[in-house]
Amino acid sequence: MSERWFSGWRHVFKLDPDRTITDEALDAICTSGTDAIIVGGSSGITFENTVDLMARIRRYAVDCALEVSTLEGAVPGFDGYFVPLVLNTNRAEWINGRQTEGLKEYGTFVPWEETAAQGYIILNAEATAAKLTGAQTELGEDELIAHVRMADRLMQLPVIYLEYSGRFGDMQLVKRARGAVVNAQLFYGGGIDDADKARQAGEAAHTVVVGNVIYTDLTAALSTVAAVQKAPRSGLHTK
Ligand SMILES: CC(C)=CCC/C(C)=C/CC/C(C)=C/CC/C(C)=C/CC/C(C)=C/CC/C(C)=C/CC/C(C)=C/COP(=O)(O)OP(=O)(O)O
Ligand SMILES: O=P(O)(O)OC[C@@H](O)CO
């Protein structure tokens, strides 16, 4: 598999421009040893709150990518860009509709070498992103694997993101999804609020994303970095 700008990422913190984080907490996150920060959220994202958070993270050496979820929030100056496509919805707006609108507006300015599509499979019905996009979250194993193959083999997406935002997912299912992946990098995110869950996710997925706990228990959030980085990588792509 060819190297991608995010290939080496095992642990990532996701920061939401629509939430408040103190300078002290941001300093701890950015100097934690995490591989990268993703800036993203599914509601309340504006140009102003995204620029503000980017400028604060930019004081640190850590890689910082934007997950573009609104047209207004497409801000230049990040190290990389992810464009989510939701795969388990029947609302075309969230599969390719808004993305095409975005390309009409910004297509000539996109830094393509540092931009990657993410095939989102949203599995927690309670997540804001699931409600927003009408995601069909009740997938059996066969349906999940079919979505994974659609993303990985037919669509050739570089990232498949199993999204349980707000709830810890089924790690056996995540491992099976990973087993079906040939080229994509499998991101897992959702409900990681201690080192043990982080370790389990680190054993199951290529890349582990930690979000909400940053805002509720910073010490627990920081403990997830070493837990993922020490987790056995058996069965993972060589990156
Ligand atoms: C000018 C310049 C430099 C441009 C570079 C940016 C760039 C590459 C632009 C390309 C143009 C473009 C294609 C834009 C498309 C933008 C767009 C509107 C895409 C739609 C994305 C989408 C499917 C959004 C739906 C929600 C979603 C999947 C969001 C991802 C983040 C996420 C899941 C956050 C957490 O979820 P949440 O449920 O909120 O979690 P909590 O419940 O815990 O809060
Ligand atoms: O916020 P949590 O539940 O940690 O999930 C992380 C990330 O997958 C959200 O998009």
Side-chain angles (χ1 to χ4, degrees), residues 5 15-18 37-41 44-58 64-84 102 105-107 109-112 114-115:
W5 49 273
L15 292 175
D16 186 339
D18 194 34
I37 310 282
I38 291 179
V39 170
I45 308 300
T46 64
F47 189 86
E48 287 71 26
N49 61 22
T50 305
V51 165
D52 179 64
L53 185 55
M54 180 187 74
R56 292 174 68 203
I57 297 168
R58 276 272 166 255
C64 182
L66 176 66
E67 204 166 50
V68 190
S69 61
T70 64
L71 291 187
E72 314 82 73
V75 168
F78 282 87
D79 297 315
Y81 293 89
F82 291 114
V83 178
E105 198 158 331
Y106 302 112
F109 305 109
V110 173
W112 290 110
E114 293 83 39
T115 297

Side-chain angles (χ1 to χ4, degrees), residues 11 13 25 28-32 210 213 217-227:
H11 180 282
F13 280 125
I29 291 296
C30 291
T31 59
S32 63
V210 176
V213 71
D217 185 344
L218 183 61
T219 305
L222 296 172
S223 77
T224 65
V225 178

